[in-house]
Amino acid sequence: STQNPALAWLSVLRAPISGALRSGVDADGMLTPLNATLQIGAGAVQPTEAAKPIPFSSVRTYFTYHPDTQIIDFDELSVVSKWITASTDGQAFLSGLENGVLEELVGQFKLPAFAVNPNDVYEKPINFDGAEMDFQLKLDPFNLKVGRAQLVDQGQILKIYGELAADKTGWDFSANGQMDGLNPDRLLALWPDNVGIPTRRWIFKNLLAGEL
C-alpha cells in the first residue's frame, strides 16, 4: 500500500492479503494499467491503534488502476462481515499524486441488495434493496465523508450523509438522514431495541397504524 496509490486504501486494514497484480511499461516508458485480484482474509478496519477494530470475515476485489487518468475501476468489491454483507462496483478518482502521496480518493459506488447489522444492534441483519454512494476518503489522518448515500428500502428512499474519522483518541462520527416515507412496522424494525427505549415502547404499544 506504500508503493502504489491504487493500493493505498489497504493501509487501514489489519488482515492477511493474497492475490495477483499485473502491469507493465509501454514503449514510452509509461506504466500500463494495473489489474489486481485480491483475496483478503478475516481481519478488521483499524486506521489507528486507538480506533476500535471493525471486524470482517472476508473481502474480495477485482479492479483496474489507470495511471494516465488516476482512476480505479472496481469491477467487484465484496465484503462479508457481521456489520455488512454486500457486493458493489464503481469508480474511485485519486488526487495528490504529483507529490507521490495519495491526498484523497473520491468514489462513486452502486450496491445491489445488501444486509447490515452494525455492532450487533439488531437480533438479525436488516436487508435493504440497493444503494448508491458518493464519498471522499483521506487516509492521513483517516477521514471518510459521505456526501450522498441513497438506500432503497421497501419502495422508499433513505438519504444519508455524514462523516467518519479516526485519530489518536479513537473513532468520531456523525450522520444525518431523511426518508420519503415510512410505516410503523418498518419504523420499529429499523429502530434498535436499546435506543430511546421509553419512546420506542410507547410507539410499539400505541401506534396501531399509519403512514408517514
Side-chain angles (χ1 to χ4, degrees):
S1 63
T2 63
Q3 302 301 312
N4 191 299
L7 306 175
W9 58 278
L10 295 171
S11 64
V12 302
L13 304 182
R14 302 291 182 265
I17 301 175
S18 62
L21 305 175
R22 186 176 72 252
S23 185
V25 179
D26 62 20
D28 296 323
M30 303 299 293
L31 287 174
T32 60
L34 169 69
N35 296 293
T37 300
L38 300 179
Q39 301 283 346
I40 303 173
V45 178
Q46 189 180 19
T48 68
E49 292 298 327
K52 182 180 179 180
I54 300 176
F56 57 81
S57 300
S58 66
V59 177
R60 183 177 70 248
T61 182
Y62 308 103
F63 66 83
T64 301
Y65 170 58
H66 305 275
D68 53 343
T69 59
Q70 298 180 2
I71 293 176
I72 305 176
D73 286 319
F74 286 89
D75 296 312
E76 180 186 358
L77 178 59
S78 299
V79 179
V80 177
S81 74
K82 288 184 177 181
W83 283 52
I84 182 171
T85 298
S87 180
T88 180
D89 62 80
Q91 280 190 328
F93 304 84
L94 312 183
S95 63
L97 303 183
E98 297 80 7
N99 300 321
V101 179
L102 176 64
E103 291 184 359
E104 67 176 25
L105 181 152
V106 176
Q108 297 177 325
F109 284 80
K110 291 184 178 181
L111 293 79
F114 65 100
V116 300
N117 191 6
N119 208 30
D120 289 327
V121 297
Y122 301 112
E123 285 189 13
K124 58 182 181 179
I126 297 293
N127 293 298
F128 291 97
D129 300 324
E132 297 180 357
M133 182 172 65
D134 301 337
F135 65 88
Q136 177 198 61
L137 174 64
K138 295 184 178 182
L139 297 173
D140 189 19
F142 180 89
N143 184 273
L144 174 66
K145 290 184 178 180
V146 177
R148 180 187 68 95
Q150 184 167 294
L151 284 69
V152 181
D153 180 49
Q154 299 185 357
Q156 310 297 151
I157 302 297
L158 171 62
K159 296 181 179 180
I160 300 173
Y161 62 93
E163 186 172 352
L164 175 67
D167 57 22
K168 61 182 180 181
T169 64
W171 291 107
D172 184 25
F173 69 93
S174 62
N176 290 280
Q178 62 186 50
M179 200 166 186
D180 62 356
L182 195 62
N183 63 54
D185 289 342
R186 192 55 175 168
L187 167 64
L188 292 171
L190 296 174
W191 190 335
D193 292 340
N194 60 350
V195 175
I197 296 175
T199 304
R200 190 185 188 283
R201 184 184 299 121
W202 189 95
I203 290 176
F204 177 76
K205 291 181 178 180
N206 295 281
L207 185 58
L208 304 181
E211 183 175 348
L212 183 65

